[in-house]
Amino acid sequence: MIGNAFDERSGQIGDESCPALPVTQRDVLPPAMGHEFNSISKNHRVQLRRFIKFLTSGSRGWGDYYADQGDVFVRIGNLPRQSLQLGGEIQRVDLPSHVREGQRTRLREEDLLFSITAYIGSVAVVESGWVDAYVSQHVALCRLDLAQLDPRFVGYFMLGTEGQDQLLQGAVGGTKIQLALDDIRGLRIPVPPLEEQQRIAAHLDRELAKIDTLIAAQEHFIGLLQERRQAVVEHELARVAPAAPGTRLKHLVRSVRQGWSPRCCPWPGDGVQTWAVLKAGAANRGLFRPEENKELPEDLEPRPSTVVRRGDLLVSRANTRELVGSAAVVSGDYPRLMLSDKLYALALDESKALPRYVAHLMASRRVRDLIEVAASGASSSMLNISRDDIVNLPMDVPEPAEQRRILNHLDRETAEIDILIAKTQRHIELAKERRSALITAAVTGQIDIMKGA
């Protein structure tokens, strides 16, 4: 089944094969003469405080009331990164009758939510299915004057370039990266007539749905390609008899290091000119992703002892069930890219085992099953695996010469699949860029919505 889907789709992905997206350069029009919204200059912005009827953040201590049944509790992970729809794993709470403090944070339809710690820049608008839920202390609840502002318009504006810049700039400084409620009040937004706001929000709902459908289809295809690739690798590994049966990872390792968890800026650094700390996602699905990092603020001293080294095998300590224990090899030199506490860095004895070969073994079904059994956590969405559990994983490795032969063979066998994955990922990146461009153009009056109505 995977093979058929792979063969059917692989012929469709090429440099010119990505379907036309809803946003093109011709959609970005100059302001129309006499168009009331388009005539507002970029400098004409109004502080959100003028339209806020109620603003608060959640209470602390909700973990004491977690339950299998009860009211929905909105955590920061329920806020999306690039849309306005709440989602993700549902956590419920069962509050005793005497606990009244949380009542002020019960959600109403069309409330506007902001992440105020961690994932700064996430925004959501409450829909009917989330009414009466509570919010955590990491989320700000903003109730607007609906006679003057459409929450979806404001939410989309905050997802655009100008809105994101304001949110990120407000989060800089202090002992922790976060937004205060006064930062929310001080956000500056355009205020076209309410009907215009509603028209823009409806237009974005329609057009972004088209782009999101395309992105979902491309991501599904990547999943099929990754399954096909892993099947090729597993088949080859299964044919090899290990030179030393019963070997564990600790027998192949010279050292194991773990990083730290400093306060970081919400944007990434480059690890070459700026000091930055890798996130757990840097080791996802066998690929080293150096861009998965956060920049270290200038007022914090770096820790050179945690800098990653070429050839390090990074292993994700804390992640989702599918990704905890994921391994990837550092393929270059990053003199200012440091480990976080969510990553282990293993320096292998290459007279016994090659990092890329061990990374393949870590992704094999047998080892993945052992990792999932060993991992533990307070919730099913985020698990941890200990250093001891990692180094005691079984590693059936042949002699290094045989490892090199197998790696060369796998490189040849997977080359075409890797090209297809890279092309598809590029199409997804382009779609996301155009998605962001559409939002920015629509909420700042660069698109004549009436022509597309």
Side-chain angles (χ1 to χ4, degrees), residues 255-262 264 275-280 282-283 288 292-294 296 302-309 312-317 328 330 334-347 387:
S255 66
V256 181
R257 295 174 292 133
Q258 189 175 350
W260 59 319
S261 181
C264 285
W275 287 97
V277 180
L278 287 168
K279 300 187 287 187
F288 175 54
E292 286 290 318
N293 70 70
K294 290 187 177 182
L296 191 73
R303 294 186 182 177
S305 62
T306 68
V307 169
V308 297
R309 304 162 188 164
D312 275 348
L313 181 70
L314 300 187
V315 180
S316 176
R317 176 189 67 81
V330 177
Y334 299 90
R336 298 190 175 193
L337 197 54
M338 296 175 286
L339 295 165
S340 76
D341 65 336
K342 293 182 173 61
L343 289 167
Y344 301 119
L346 281 63
R387 179 184 306 206

Side-chain angles (χ1 to χ4, degrees), residues 79 167 183:
L79 272 66
L167 291 172
D183 294 320

